[in-house]
Amino acid sequence: MPAPPSSLIVGSFVLLLMGSGVSQAQPAASIEARADRLVQASLLVDGHVDLPSRLNDFYENPADSTVGGDVDYPRARAGGLDAPFMSIYIPPYLQSNPAAATNRADALIDLVETIATDHPTEFALATSPNEVRQIATTEAVALPLGMENGAGLGGDLDNVEHFYERGIRYITLTHGAHNRLGDSSYDDAEPRWSGLSPFGADVVAEMNRLGIMVDVSHVTDATARDAIEASAAPVIASHSSCRHFTPGWERNVSDALIQGIADTGGVVMITFGSSFLRTEYREQDDPIRAEMNAHIDARGWAKDSREAILYEEKIRDEHPIGTVQDVADHIDHAVGLVGAEHVGLGSDFDGVFALPEGLQDASGYPVLVAELLRRGYSDPEIQQILGTNLLRVWTEVEAVAERRSE
């Protein structure tokens, strides 16, 4: 931001020309302080946080400061986080047992409900954009739900409605392996369906009917194209970055898919995981993790023990990979393709090992906002990226469902 004319300086106050176009007298402050104020004043929605799986493995009270992971109530409040989508994650190894996959989904939803029940001042379940907005007027953090891996449906179309009634508001069609809905970008096997399966197309139609967002993170390009074509409502990528920076890695979305998602009215939510940011980062954490695990094994600590968790977090904190600038580069690239109105944030906190310096937990969102301010983003553009874009998409998905019910 250029320095204001000297005639506008009064004592320690300056007239800041805000990106919103509104001029107002404010104390002279750093761009970091401005970023913090903007984050706290905005509605911040994160498209993907794996807190339920983390707590399922090693339970801590998320209303207090935790020793493990990236997200708890104090860090969420420090970072201005209003509504992290809780990932109801179904591991691919459960796909061969449909009942077990469905039971895992129900169990993780139970866990999130327990968090909200036990800590009502800090957390509240959210099943609509309006509920997110209402909760954001309180001190609580809203907890909307997204199912990561449609295998949680157990191959039963009726379970789409079951999980809608339980609060699921997006479904990531696949995860690490091909499933009954479609093909996964992580699966090294030959495509099972060469895109979306017939059952997957039925699931997309049922999601449209009920008001559940279709999420094309993790799927192959062919599956994503089919889902975009099949959906009557906007489509999202809840936690994907730009393949432009990781050529050949199908897990990140291509320029064509970013455009295709935007053409539906949808949003691409940029993730913070180091491996998503640059090709050269993708294997840098392997030796770090190997040495860490060897240390844990040598001391005879169970992987889910407090000692192991504390040591893992120490190693993660000491070994960031990448920078906030890398994340901003992905935002820039997507915005350059489709505009700020089709970009959001999906950190993948608690779901990845390595994160960039400055964005290693939920307190770090203001650091990213400060970088966007340095790059010339306006306050309204940043607010779109922080959350209003996703809420707009969610609202339109609800509207499609309402029109279909009529």
Side-chain angles (χ1 to χ4, degrees):
M1 177 185 297
S6 59
S7 62
L8 294 180
I9 300 177
V10 181
S12 64
F13 290 82
V14 297
L15 190 65
L16 294 177
L17 304 178
M18 303 296 288
S20 62
V22 178
S23 298
Q24 54 189 14
Q26 294 186 4
S30 67
I31 199 165
E32 288 79 10
R34 180 183 164 197
D36 188 65
R37 289 195 302 272
L38 179 56
V39 167
Q40 295 296 336
S42 303
L43 210 163
L44 202 168
V45 180
D46 191 313
H48 191 89
V49 170
D50 277 291
L51 180 64
S53 291
R54 171 164 76 88
L55 296 183
N56 187 62
D57 293 339
F58 177 77
Y59 191 82
E60 303 180 81
N61 177 4
D64 292 330
S65 297
T66 57
V67 300
D70 314 318
V71 178
D72 53 35
Y73 182 77
R75 287 184 283 186
R77 290 292 79 187
L81 178 58
D82 294 296
F85 266 85
M86 296 287 95
S87 171
I88 305 304
Y89 167 57
I90 314 304
Y93 72 82
L94 291 178
Q95 291 179 188
S96 60
N97 186 334
T102 299
N103 289 341
R104 174 63 63 88
D106 277 319
L108 291 180
I109 295 171
D110 290 345
L111 188 153
V112 177
E113 290 178 345
T114 299
I115 290 170
T117 300
D118 289 351
H119 309 288
T121 302
E122 292 83 10
F123 299 106
L125 297 175
T127 60
S128 72
N130 285 338
E131 287 183 354
V132 169
R133 295 185 185 99
Q134 189 279 322
I135 294 165
T137 66
T138 73
E139 289 302 309
V141 172
L143 300 180
L145 305 176
M147 179 186 289
E148 185 178 26
N149 191 354
L153 300 174
D156 185 345
L157 192 64
D158 289 341
N159 275 334
V160 181
E161 186 162 6
H162 165 75
F163 284 111
Y164 176 82
E165 291 172 350
R166 295 224 59 192
I168 293 293
R169 291 300 180 266
Y170 76 65
I171 296 176
T172 314
L173 301 177
T174 72
H175 187 258
H178 308 326
N179 65 17
R180 289 176 172 83
L181 282 73
D183 296 330
S184 164
S185 62
Y186 274 161
D187 199 324
D188 292 331
E190 288 297 312
R192 179 177 175 184
W193 306 103
S194 298
L196 197 66
S197 72
F199 176 67
D202 289 341
V203 167
V204 167
E206 184 71 350
M207 291 167 70
N208 288 169
R209 183 184 74 82
L210 293 166
I212 300 175
M213 291 177 280
V214 176
D215 177 20
V216 296
S217 290
H218 280 288
V219 305
T220 61
D221 288 5
T223 304
R225 287 192 297 267
D226 286 351
I228 287 168
E229 178 67 24
S231 180
V235 169
I236 67 168
S238 68
H239 59 305
S240 294
S241 292
C242 303
R243 197 179 305 165
H244 173 82
F245 298 97
T246 56
W249 194 43
E250 199 172 14
R251 173 62 182 85
N252 271 344
V253 285
S254 67
D255 288 2
L257 283 178
I258 293 171
Q259 186 64 62
I261 291 166
D263 287 345
T264 72
V267 61
V268 174
M269 309 186 80
I270 302 300
T271 191
F272 303 165
S274 303
S275 63
F276 292 80
L277 300 179
R278 301 276 176 184
T279 298
E280 56 267 31
Y281 297 162
R282 290 193 50 218
E283 296 180 355
Q284 284 188 20
D285 66 334
D286 287 348
I288 298 169
R289 297 176 78 167
E291 184 175 345
M292 177 192 74
N293 289 328
H295 180 91
I296 290 171
D297 291 342
R299 277 151 183 78
W301 296 334
K303 290 289 192 287
D304 59 353
S305 67
R306 183 178 177 85
E307 294 85 356
I309 298 297
L310 279 167
Y311 185 72
E312 178 176 348
E313 294 311 311
K314 175 179 180 292
I315 296 302
R316 293 180 71 218
D317 289 345
E318 292 174 353
H319 295 87
I321 298 175
T323 66
V324 172
Q325 289 75 23
D326 290 321
V327 179
D329 287 346
H330 282 261
I331 293 172
D332 276 352
H333 184 77
V335 168
L337 288 171
V338 295
E341 62 270 26
H342 296 292
V343 181
L345 304 179
S347 65
D348 211 356
F349 281 145
D350 286 332
V352 293
F353 178 80
L355 289 157
E357 187 170 6
L359 276 177
Q360 289 179 280
D361 63 50
S363 69
Y365 298 99
V367 180
L368 177 58
V369 170
E371 179 61 24
L372 296 180
L373 288 170
R374 291 187 191 97
R375 297 186 182 208
Y377 283 80
S378 69
D379 289 8
E381 287 173 327
I382 291 172
Q383 289 174 318
Q384 285 181 312
I385 293 167
L386 289 179
T388 60
N389 285 340
L390 191 280
L391 293 182
R392 182 199 74 240
V393 171
W394 191 356
T395 301
E396 177 56 24
V397 170
E398 288 185 331
V400 168
E402 185 174 349
R403 291 195 293 270
R404 292 201 160 198
S405 70
E406 293 171 353

